[in-house]
Amino acid sequence: MSGRARVTLFAALATLLTAWSLVPLVESAGWLLQAALLLAVQSAVGAGARRVPLARALTVAAQLLVSLLILAVLFAGKGESTGSGPLAYLVTDFGALYQRGVQDVSEFAIPAPLTDGIRLLLVSGVLLIGLLVDTLAVTLRTAAAAGLPLLALYSVAAGLSGGGNASWFSFLLAGCGYLMMLLAESRDRLAQWGRVFGAAPRERVSAASGLGSGKEGRLTAPVRTGRRIGAVALGLALAVPAALPALGGGLMGGPGDGEAAEGGVGGTISAVNPLVSLQSNLNAQDNRVVLKYRTDNPQQGEQYLRILALDEFNGTKWEASGRALSDVPPRLPNPPGLSGDVRQSAAEVQTNVSAADNYTQRYLPMPYPATSVDIKGRWRFEPAGRTLVGDQLGKDRFQNVQGAQYSVRSLLLKPTAQQLRNAPEPDPAVLAEYTKLPENLPQVVPDTARQVTQGAKDDYTRAVKLQDFFAVNGGFRYNTKTASGTGPQAVARFLADKEGFCVHFAFSMAAMSRSLGIPARVAVGFTPGEKQSDGSVNVSMRDAHAWPELYFEGVGWTRFEPTPRAGINVPDYSRAQAPAAQPSAPTALPSQGAAQPSAAPSKADDCPPELKKLGECGATAPKQDASGGGGTSLSAVLGWAGAAAAVLGLPLLPLLWRSRVRARRLGAGEVSAAWRELGDAAWDVGVRPDEALSPRRAAVRMADLGRLDAEAAAAVHRVAGALERRLYAPPAAAASYPGLAQDVLLARAGLLAGVGGPARLRALLLPRSAARLAWSASRRWASLASAVSARLTALRLPLPLRGRG
């Protein structure tokens, strides 16, 4: 195998080993074998093109074209083409599959299912990195620079996966692949020097020489030394962080690090959509009790236990937006929008709750609106949704409700229909945030909302008409077996089928309310539960429920109940003026709704696909991120931004150094410095300096090898003439040279114009004259070593000789 073929093989292997770090992001690793086969084909095309040989640009183009064609054939028919012909397929169908993959990445939790879109993103991403690595390491023969795309691939994988127990193994594979590629490239470079003549026989080569001979007389000591250095470097990279636990968080910090984890203000709350798990709880055969409570609330049937609010609707689902977290205050702030008149008429009640040992919810179920909470453990408060969420306790460990005993004081609000009807316009900020609707919402949703509320003169009347449309006179049926629906047509399909469970009713009424300009969101939690003979109340899994909350200035967020189901109490303030008969349940279904809780871990084999999509199949059902756990902190953002800037800016360092040196030399106005800059400019385009030549002969050589035009060549000769006068003319004959800098820049432009595009790009980004940095560092190191040695020698004072004479 030739040296270049060996480098090609190890470049592909390095890419494949680094791609292993992407395996934890998806459920199946089958895509990796597919990527390996395509990567082998891409590398083989490059090797064949270089053997022809083709130009470097044509080699890369051939690899790219073959890779695109293979991907197009492999993923044919898996997109959503809206046109006909090859162009429509490549642009529309292929682009749609990429777009679907991006959407799947944003929706699925890690590990995500291996959909066609995600498979395309993974395979094409590995091929792109492999093409960059092959181009840098083999085509351009700069294997060290090929570490940049490998680093980018590993950084993306490590950042998304958040580390893990296998992260060290992924790092080890990536590091080994990179080092093997460097070793293959270095051996290829050494082999180009030819055979070593006059080598000493094996028995006469000392160990100290570092030239131990191997088979067929080849020198193997440098190879062995390189292997040892690589092994030691990888070992230190793995061992040092383990030996220094304080550095475990690294520059970026880890989950739970920093101020937010210590209880300071900061962090965010970011929850996954709980609606699909809610449907699973409703259909579960095991109706276990998850909460027990006692309350002095005289209207126990009105006391819902609220978990969190979903306030962001993106056309696919309702979800909780990222919110800032703070410490739990002794007294919670007043609810948003609540006026003094309504607050004075409200009574404050107390509820003592006991959670089951198998209930691992991280959000604390509480009556709304709570005024104070007494609970042990580490909890954080989200003011907008008035939610308590468990803080991070350690790596992959979070505070949850499991076995908790807590007490909540809350307000029993009693707004009247007149207060809601006369509510003033809501705050502009609330109106702007909670009336947002996605652009892809079907037109039938706002049209139906306007038709149902026709004739209503205020938001309260519109809300009651919407509630009655779903719960009383719209012909809707309650059925927990209906698919929850996650597409942009889910609301329209529900309005057409008129069948669903509380999730459909809640987000449909909220979406229609927003279309009418009424601020709305969806709340999830539990219905009041079943009262026991001893006065306590049991809340089971089938008491899970979802309901819409509408905002009225002066009252705040107000619960409505559009779900037509037995056992659900419609709030007094939302009842019609004339008593209306409650709809009878079409089937004998449980009198409970929907929510987010998950009582116990579910086995992966028994977990429904909907739950797997939301990442709720594991040791703890909810995979919501809280402060320090999933919310991206400012330090992490700044850290990743700094790392990205460093990686992107690293190739620009030689360019910046040359620009600084050029400005300093030309700004000095000295002919010798300008001549040195001119020599380095020629060196950058491939004209190596020759110190043995006179300035005049060097100028002729530079103009000839640099293929300079007449004007640029004249500028070089003028600088050379000025240098000769500076060196050989009497001091009195020295003349000023005002156009020195302009002539040097003119000559440099001519040198760059005389070479091709790739050579010009290398002269700018990887100038050959940057070798002066290494030379300067070597001289400084030698000078420092000499000074230290001389200092130590001077300290060796002669000892006095006693007893002499």
Side-chain angles (χ1 to χ4, degrees):
M1 182 183 293
S2 65
R4 177 167 284 196
R6 186 182 296 108
V7 177
T8 303
L9 175 62
F10 280 101
L13 183 60
T15 303
L16 194 61
L17 292 178
T18 306
W20 177 267
S21 58
L22 295 171
V23 169
L25 301 181
V26 291
E27 293 177 347
S28 173
W31 66 271
L32 190 59
L33 178 59
Q34 195 174 53
L37 295 177
L38 297 184
L39 191 62
V41 174
Q42 179 179 269
S43 301
V45 171
R50 285 186 289 265
R51 193 173 182 84
V52 169
L54 293 179
R56 293 176 176 178
L58 293 180
T59 300
V60 177
Q63 290 178 281
L64 182 61
L65 179 61
V66 171
S67 300
L68 288 177
L69 291 177
I70 295 178
L71 286 175
V73 173
L74 188 63
F75 291 91
K78 297 183 179 181
E80 299 176 357
S81 180
T82 57
S84 59
L87 183 60
Y89 167 74
L90 291 176
V91 176
T92 307
D93 190 68
F94 217 46
L97 191 57
Y98 266 106
Q99 186 176 3
R100 187 195 303 174
V102 173
Q103 182 178 358
D104 289 343
V105 168
S106 63
E107 289 186 1
F108 288 101
I110 296 174
L114 189 58
T115 63
D116 291 333
I118 293 180
R119 183 192 296 270
L120 176 61
L121 291 180
L122 291 172
V123 174
S124 60
V126 172
L127 286 181
L128 177 59
I129 296 298
L131 179 60
L132 293 176
V133 172
D134 186 85
T135 301
L136 292 172
V138 189
T139 304
L140 299 180
R141 292 182 175 273
T142 55
L148 291 177
L150 293 177
L151 175 62
L153 177 61
Y154 177 78
S155 300
V156 169
L160 291 176
S161 63
N165 296 330
S167 59
W168 68 269
F169 184 68
S170 301
F171 173 78
L172 182 64
L173 289 180
C176 288
Y178 179 58
L179 290 178
M180 288 190 296
M181 180 181 63
L182 290 180
L183 181 61
E185 195 258 357
S186 63
R187 293 185 65 177
D188 181 44
R189 285 184 178 272
L190 289 175
Q192 293 178 14
W193 286 84
R195 299 175 59 87
V196 179
F197 295 96
R202 178 182 304 180
E203 62 274 7
R204 295 179 58 186
V205 176
S206 64
S209 65
L211 296 174
S213 65
K215 294 181 180 181
E216 301 179 1
R218 290 178 297 179
L219 302 182
T220 60
V223 175
R224 293 175 181 173
T225 302
R227 292 172 181 169
R228 293 167 184 168
I229 292 175
V232 171
L234 280 177
L236 290 176
L238 293 173
V240 169
L244 300 175
L247 299 180
L251 177 62
M252 311 303 173
D257 295 343
E259 181 179 349
E262 295 299 327
V265 176
T268 60
I269 175 176
S270 179
V272 299
N273 191 342
L275 301 179
V276 175
S277 59
L278 182 150
Q279 181 182 17
S280 178
N281 294 329
L282 290 175
N283 294 320
Q285 298 297 324
D286 184 10
N287 189 25
R288 69 191 67 184
V289 175
V290 293
L291 296 171
K292 290 186 177 183
Y293 69 89
R294 291 179 180 271
T295 181
D296 57 3
N297 188 344
Q299 300 177 359
Q300 185 266 331
E302 295 286 338
Q303 180 161 291
Y304 282 46
L305 297 180
R306 185 172 171 277
I307 295 177
L308 79 162
L310 310 178
D311 54 5
E312 186 173 307
F313 183 40
N314 57 17
T316 301
K317 60 181 180 293
W318 288 85
E319 59 187 2
S321 58
R323 298 286 184 180
L325 298 176
S326 63
D327 292 337
V328 181
R331 182 78 179 180
L332 302 185
N334 290 328
L338 184 62
S339 66
D341 295 340
V342 179
R343 176 67 175 83
Q344 290 178 0
S345 62
E348 190 167 281
V349 297
Q350 180 167 334
T351 305
N352 299 319
V353 187
S354 175
D357 291 335
N358 56 7
Y359 182 50
T360 56
Q361 174 62 246
R362 282 183 55 201
Y363 292 88
L364 191 67
M366 300 185 300
Y368 184 86
T371 57
S372 65
V373 183
D374 183 11
I375 185 172
K376 295 181 180 179
R378 296 179 59 176
W379 296 87
R380 307 300 301 280
F381 177 62
E382 192 271 290
R386 301 184 70 81
T387 302
L388 260 66
V389 60
D391 203 353
Q392 185 165 4
L393 303 177
K395 184 178 181 181
D396 300 328
R397 293 178 57 246
F398 298 89
Q399 180 72 56
N400 57 39
V401 191
Q402 186 176 18
Q405 308 281 337
Y406 59 99
S407 176
V408 182
R409 296 195 65 83
S410 59
L411 295 177
L412 179 59
L413 299 178
K414 301 176 181 179
T416 64
Q418 190 66 26
Q419 288 174 326
L420 294 171
R421 184 178 292 108
N422 297 334
E425 286 293 325
D427 183 85
V430 175
L431 187 65
E433 180 177 1
Y434 294 99
T435 56
K436 292 180 181 178
L437 287 172
E439 295 180 356
N440 62 346
L441 186 68
Q443 187 61 35
V444 66
V445 178
D447 290 346
T448 304
R450 286 192 293 268
Q451 180 181 356
V452 170
T453 60
Q454 187 175 6
K457 298 181 179 180
D458 54 81
D459 289 344
Y460 166 74
T461 306
R462 297 186 185 97
V464 172
K465 285 194 172 186
L466 287 177
Q467 175 182 265
D468 292 343
F469 169 68
F470 290 111
V472 179
N473 51 36
F476 288 85
R477 297 178 65 251
Y478 180 82
N479 184 5
T480 59
K481 302 298 182 181
T482 306
S484 60
T486 58
Q489 302 294 326
V491 179
R493 186 166 57 249
F494 169 66
L495 293 176
D497 297 341
K498 294 191 174 184
E499 186 176 63
F501 61 104
C502 58
V503 166
H504 301 90
F505 293 98
F507 69 60
S508 296
M509 180 173 173
M512 295 171 73
S513 299
R514 287 193 173 191
S515 69
L516 298 174
I518 306 174
R521 64 189 186 188
V522 176
V524 291
F526 295 98
T527 54
E530 296 182 0
K531 194 168 185 178
Q532 306 301 305
S533 58
D534 60 353
S536 64
V537 181
N538 288 351
V539 178
S540 65
M541 293 295 295
R542 293 186 185 177
D543 286 315
H545 189 47
W547 62 91
E549 290 182 341
L550 277 57
Y551 182 87
F552 292 91
E553 193 68 38
V555 180
W557 290 104
T558 307
R559 177 176 65 89
F560 283 80
E561 194 53 79
T563 305
R565 192 187 65 214
I568 291 292
N569 295 323
V570 176
D572 292 336
Y573 50 78
S574 65
R575 295 181 184 274
Q577 298 298 327
Q582 292 292 329
S584 58
T587 57
L589 293 172
S591 61
Q592 292 82 13
Q596 181 194 347
S598 178
S602 60
K603 296 181 180 179
D605 296 339
D606 301 332
C607 188
E610 294 85 357
L611 290 179
K612 287 185 178 180
K613 180 176 180 179
L614 297 177
E616 296 188 10
C617 300
T620 56
K623 294 239 177 163
Q624 304 92 333
D625 293 329
S627 73
T632 305
S633 63
L634 179 60
S635 60
V637 172
L638 294 178
W640 280 111
V647 171
L648 297 177
L650 188 62
L652 301 179
L653 290 180
L655 173 64
L656 298 177
W657 173 78
R658 281 291 291 122
S659 300
R660 181 174 178 272
V661 170
R662 184 182 307 111
R664 187 178 70 249
R665 287 173 174 174
L666 299 182
E670 295 184 359
V671 178
S672 57
W675 178 256
R676 194 178 303 113
E677 171 59 30
L678 187 58
D680 284 352
W683 188 9
D684 291 339
V685 298
V687 182
R688 295 183 60 86
D690 190 348
E691 302 293 341
L693 299 178
S694 65
R696 187 171 303 178
R697 292 296 301 275
V700 173
R701 176 175 177 270
M702 189 181 303
D704 185 21
L705 297 180
R707 296 186 290 274
L708 298 180
D709 55 17
E711 187 177 1
V716 172
H717 285 290
R718 286 195 295 270
V719 178
L723 180 63
E724 287 184 339
R725 289 191 297 272
R726 170 69 176 79
L727 295 176
Y728 308 122
S736 62
Y737 191 174
L740 178 63
Q742 290 78 4
D743 281 344
V744 173
L745 295 178
L746 177 61
R748 177 176 177 270
L751 290 169
L752 292 176
V755 296
R760 188 182 307 115
L761 186 62
R762 177 179 177 177
L764 294 174
L765 298 180
L766 296 173
R768 295 175 174 86
S769 60
R772 296 190 184 277
L773 283 174
W775 298 348
S776 176
S778 178
R779 287 194 301 268
R780 293 184 180 181
W781 173 257
S783 176
L784 179 61
S786 299
V788 172
S789 177
R791 185 66 175 174
L792 293 177
T793 303
L795 293 177
R796 295 176 184 174
L797 300 176
L799 297 178
L801 299 178
R802 297 182 181 179
R804 178 174 295 181

PDB file of all heavy atoms in Angstrom, residues 72 107 120 147 299 303 367 395 476 516 552 563 611 681 689 704 781:
ATOM      1  N   ALA A  72     -28.896  10.718  -2.956  1.00  0.00           N
ATOM      2  CA  ALA A  72     -30.165  10.903  -3.656  1.00  0.00           C
ATOM      3  C   ALA A  72     -30.819   9.562  -3.975  1.00  0.00           C
ATOM      4  O   ALA A  72     -32.032   9.390  -3.834  1.00  0.00           O
ATOM      5  CB  ALA A  72     -29.943  11.704  -4.935  1.00  0.00           C
ATOM      6  N   GLU A 107     -37.854  18.321  17.832  1.00  0.00           N
ATOM      7  CA  GLU A 107     -38.997  17.812  18.569  1.00  0.00           C
ATOM      8  C   GLU A 107     -38.657  16.617  19.450  1.00  0.00           C
ATOM      9  O   GLU A 107     -39.202  16.468  20.539  1.00  0.00           O
ATOM     10  CB  GLU A 107     -40.113  17.410  17.591  1.00  0.00           C
ATOM     11  CG  GLU A 107     -40.787  18.598  16.919  1.00  0.00           C
ATOM     12  CD  GLU A 107     -41.961  18.167  16.075  1.00  0.00           C
ATOM     13  OE1 GLU A 107     -42.236  16.953  16.038  1.00  0.00           O
ATOM     14  OE2 GLU A 107     -42.589  19.031  15.460  1.00  0.00           O
ATOM     15  N   LEU A 120     -30.791  10.968   7.387  1.00  0.00           N
ATOM     16  CA  LEU A 120     -30.177  11.767   6.328  1.00  0.00           C
ATOM     17  C   LEU A 120     -29.234  12.807   6.904  1.00  0.00           C
ATOM     18  O   LEU A 120     -28.124  13.017   6.371  1.00  0.00           O
ATOM     19  CB  LEU A 120     -31.267  12.433   5.500  1.00  0.00           C
ATOM     20  CG  LEU A 120     -30.788  13.397   4.393  1.00  0.00           C
ATOM     21  CD1 LEU A 120     -29.926  12.649   3.392  1.00  0.00           C
ATOM     22  CD2 LEU A 120     -31.967  14.047   3.699  1.00  0.00           C
ATOM     23  N   GLY A 147      -7.697  18.115  11.739  1.00  0.00           N
ATOM     24  CA  GLY A 147      -8.268  17.959  13.071  1.00  0.00           C
ATOM     25  C   GLY A 147      -9.388  18.944  13.355  1.00  0.00           C
ATOM     26  O   GLY A 147     -10.208  18.693  14.244  1.00  0.00           O
ATOM     27  N   GLN A 299     -65.112  24.511  48.976  1.00  0.00           N
ATOM     28  CA  GLN A 299     -65.515  24.087  47.641  1.00  0.00           C
ATOM     29  C   GLN A 299     -64.457  23.118  47.095  1.00  0.00           C
ATOM     30  O   GLN A 299     -63.745  23.401  46.136  1.00  0.00           O
ATOM     31  CB  GLN A 299     -65.681  25.295  46.709  1.00  0.00           C
ATOM     32  CG  GLN A 299     -66.727  26.286  47.182  1.00  0.00           C
ATOM     33  CD  GLN A 299     -66.824  27.502  46.273  1.00  0.00           C
ATOM     34  OE1 GLN A 299     -66.104  27.616  45.294  1.00  0.00           O
ATOM     35  NE2 GLN A 299     -67.727  28.412  46.599  1.00  0.00           N
ATOM     36  N   GLN A 303     -61.271  22.532  43.486  1.00  0.00           N
ATOM     37  CA  GLN A 303     -59.830  22.641  43.756  1.00  0.00           C
ATOM     38  C   GLN A 303     -59.048  21.701  42.836  1.00  0.00           C
ATOM     39  O   GLN A 303     -58.874  20.528  43.127  1.00  0.00           O
ATOM     40  CB  GLN A 303     -59.532  22.333  45.228  1.00  0.00           C
ATOM     41  CG  GLN A 303     -58.037  22.437  45.557  1.00  0.00           C
ATOM     42  CD  GLN A 303     -57.792  22.600  47.029  1.00  0.00           C
ATOM     43  OE1 GLN A 303     -58.105  23.634  47.602  1.00  0.00           O
ATOM     44  NE2 GLN A 303     -57.244  21.578  47.646  1.00  0.00           N
ATOM     45  N   PRO A 367     -52.710  23.864  44.252  1.00  0.00           N
ATOM     46  CA  PRO A 367     -53.889  24.654  43.874  1.00  0.00           C
ATOM     47  C   PRO A 367     -53.444  26.005  43.313  1.00  0.00           C
ATOM     48  O   PRO A 367     -52.391  26.542  43.690  1.00  0.00           O
ATOM     49  CB  PRO A 367     -54.649  24.815  45.188  1.00  0.00           C
ATOM     50  CG  PRO A 367     -54.112  23.765  46.095  1.00  0.00           C
ATOM     51  CD  PRO A 367     -52.692  23.546  45.696  1.00  0.00           C
ATOM     52  N   LYS A 395     -25.323  14.900  39.193  1.00  0.00           N
ATOM     53  CA  LYS A 395     -25.339  14.475  37.806  1.00  0.00           C
ATOM     54  C   LYS A 395     -26.508  13.524  37.574  1.00  0.00           C
ATOM     55  O   LYS A 395     -26.602  12.469  38.194  1.00  0.00           O
ATOM     56  CB  LYS A 395     -24.026  13.788  37.452  1.00  0.00           C
ATOM     57  CG  LYS A 395     -23.926  13.391  35.989  1.00  0.00           C
ATOM     58  CD  LYS A 395     -22.601  12.754  35.688  1.00  0.00           C
ATOM     59  CE  LYS A 395     -22.512  12.390  34.206  1.00  0.00           C
ATOM     60  NZ  LYS A 395     -21.226  11.741  33.882  1.00  0.00           N
ATOM     61  N   PHE A 476     -69.798  17.417  20.326  1.00  0.00           N
ATOM     62  CA  PHE A 476     -68.510  16.762  20.524  1.00  0.00           C
ATOM     63  C   PHE A 476     -68.658  15.572  21.475  1.00  0.00           C
ATOM     64  O   PHE A 476     -69.481  15.584  22.401  1.00  0.00           O
ATOM     65  CB  PHE A 476     -67.487  17.756  21.096  1.00  0.00           C
ATOM     66  CG  PHE A 476     -67.034  18.784  20.098  1.00  0.00           C
ATOM     67  CD1 PHE A 476     -67.759  19.949  19.891  1.00  0.00           C
ATOM     68  CD2 PHE A 476     -65.888  18.584  19.353  1.00  0.00           C
ATOM     69  CE1 PHE A 476     -67.352  20.898  18.976  1.00  0.00           C
ATOM     70  CE2 PHE A 476     -65.466  19.522  18.434  1.00  0.00           C
ATOM     71  CZ  PHE A 476     -66.194  20.684  18.250  1.00  0.00           C
ATOM     72  N   LEU A 516     -59.320  35.138  18.621  1.00  0.00           N
ATOM     73  CA  LEU A 516     -60.267  36.221  18.901  1.00  0.00           C
ATOM     74  C   LEU A 516     -59.632  37.358  19.691  1.00  0.00           C
ATOM     75  O   LEU A 516     -60.326  38.303  20.085  1.00  0.00           O
ATOM     76  CB  LEU A 516     -61.464  35.671  19.682  1.00  0.00           C
ATOM     77  CG  LEU A 516     -62.304  34.607  18.963  1.00  0.00           C
ATOM     78  CD1 LEU A 516     -63.356  34.044  19.907  1.00  0.00           C
ATOM     79  CD2 LEU A 516     -62.950  35.189  17.712  1.00  0.00           C
ATOM     80  N   PHE A 552     -58.095  37.628  32.094  1.00  0.00           N
ATOM     81  CA  PHE A 552     -58.981  38.793  32.199  1.00  0.00           C
ATOM     82  C   PHE A 552     -58.350  39.772  33.187  1.00  0.00           C
ATOM     83  O   PHE A 552     -58.043  39.395  34.328  1.00  0.00           O
ATOM     84  CB  PHE A 552     -60.370  38.370  32.674  1.00  0.00           C
ATOM     85  CG  PHE A 552     -61.130  37.540  31.688  1.00  0.00           C
ATOM     86  CD1 PHE A 552     -61.034  36.158  31.710  1.00  0.00           C
ATOM     87  CD2 PHE A 552     -61.928  38.137  30.719  1.00  0.00           C
ATOM     88  CE1 PHE A 552     -61.713  35.382  30.795  1.00  0.00           C
ATOM     89  CE2 PHE A 552     -62.618  37.365  29.795  1.00  0.00           C
ATOM     90  CZ  PHE A 552     -62.511  35.983  29.831  1.00  0.00           C
ATOM     91  N   THR A 563     -64.380  20.479  28.337  1.00  0.00           N
ATOM     92  CA  THR A 563     -64.426  19.029  28.126  1.00  0.00           C
ATOM     93  C   THR A 563     -65.788  18.463  28.519  1.00  0.00           C
ATOM     94  O   THR A 563     -66.197  18.591  29.687  1.00  0.00           O
ATOM     95  CB  THR A 563     -63.314  18.335  28.936  1.00  0.00           C
ATOM     96  OG1 THR A 563     -62.054  18.913  28.601  1.00  0.00           O
ATOM     97  CG2 THR A 563     -63.286  16.852  28.651  1.00  0.00           C
ATOM     98  N   LEU A 611     -44.635   8.248  23.627  1.00  0.00           N
ATOM     99  CA  LEU A 611     -43.824   8.601  24.793  1.00  0.00           C
ATOM    100  C   LEU A 611     -42.350   8.599  24.446  1.00  0.00           C
ATOM    101  O   LEU A 611     -41.578   9.417  24.954  1.00  0.00           O
ATOM    102  CB  LEU A 611     -44.098   7.612  25.931  1.00  0.00           C
ATOM    103  CG  LEU A 611     -45.482   7.714  26.587  1.00  0.00           C
ATOM    104  CD1 LEU A 611     -45.614   6.674  27.668  1.00  0.00           C
ATOM    105  CD2 LEU A 611     -45.698   9.085  27.151  1.00  0.00           C
ATOM    106  N   ALA A 681       7.095  37.980   1.292  1.00  0.00           N
ATOM    107  CA  ALA A 681       5.954  37.939   0.383  1.00  0.00           C
ATOM    108  C   ALA A 681       6.222  36.993  -0.778  1.00  0.00           C
ATOM    109  O   ALA A 681       5.330  36.251  -1.211  1.00  0.00           O
ATOM    110  CB  ALA A 681       5.636  39.345  -0.121  1.00  0.00           C
ATOM    111  N   PRO A 689      13.623  32.179  -0.201  1.00  0.00           N
ATOM    112  CA  PRO A 689      14.705  33.179  -0.141  1.00  0.00           C
ATOM    113  C   PRO A 689      16.074  32.522  -0.299  1.00  0.00           C
ATOM    114  O   PRO A 689      16.293  31.385   0.116  1.00  0.00           O
ATOM    115  CB  PRO A 689      14.521  33.777   1.256  1.00  0.00           C
ATOM    116  CG  PRO A 689      13.835  32.718   2.049  1.00  0.00           C
ATOM    117  CD  PRO A 689      12.949  31.998   1.084  1.00  0.00           C
ATOM    118  N   ASP A 704      11.631  36.844 -11.953  1.00  0.00           N
ATOM    119  CA  ASP A 704      11.534  35.732 -12.895  1.00  0.00           C
ATOM    120  C   ASP A 704      10.649  34.615 -12.346  1.00  0.00           C
ATOM    121  O   ASP A 704       9.694  34.179 -12.989  1.00  0.00           O
ATOM    122  CB  ASP A 704      12.938  35.209 -13.187  1.00  0.00           C
ATOM    123  CG  ASP A 704      12.918  34.130 -14.258  1.00  0.00           C
ATOM    124  OD1 ASP A 704      11.945  34.067 -15.020  1.00  0.00           O
ATOM    125  OD2 ASP A 704      13.879  33.331 -14.323  1.00  0.00           O
ATOM    126  N   TRP A 781      14.447  30.161  23.028  1.00  0.00           N
ATOM    127  CA  TRP A 781      14.611  29.050  23.968  1.00  0.00           C
ATOM    128  C   TRP A 781      16.085  28.746  24.195  1.00  0.00           C
ATOM    129  O   TRP A 781      16.519  28.498  25.320  1.00  0.00           O
ATOM    130  CB  TRP A 781      13.879  27.823  23.444  1.00  0.00           C
ATOM    131  CG  TRP A 781      14.132  26.594  24.268  1.00  0.00           C
ATOM    132  CD1 TRP A 781      14.941  25.558  23.979  1.00  0.00           C
ATOM    133  CD2 TRP A 781      13.578  26.329  25.559  1.00  0.00           C
ATOM    134  NE1 TRP A 781      14.929  24.637  24.980  1.00  0.00           N
ATOM    135  CE2 TRP A 781      14.091  25.077  25.978  1.00  0.00           C
ATOM    136  CE3 TRP A 781      12.686  27.003  26.394  1.00  0.00           C
ATOM    137  CZ2 TRP A 781      13.761  24.503  27.186  1.00  0.00           C
ATOM    138  CZ3 TRP A 781      12.349  26.422  27.603  1.00  0.00           C
ATOM    139  CH2 TRP A 781      12.884  25.199  27.992  1.00  0.00           C
TER     140      TRP A 781
END
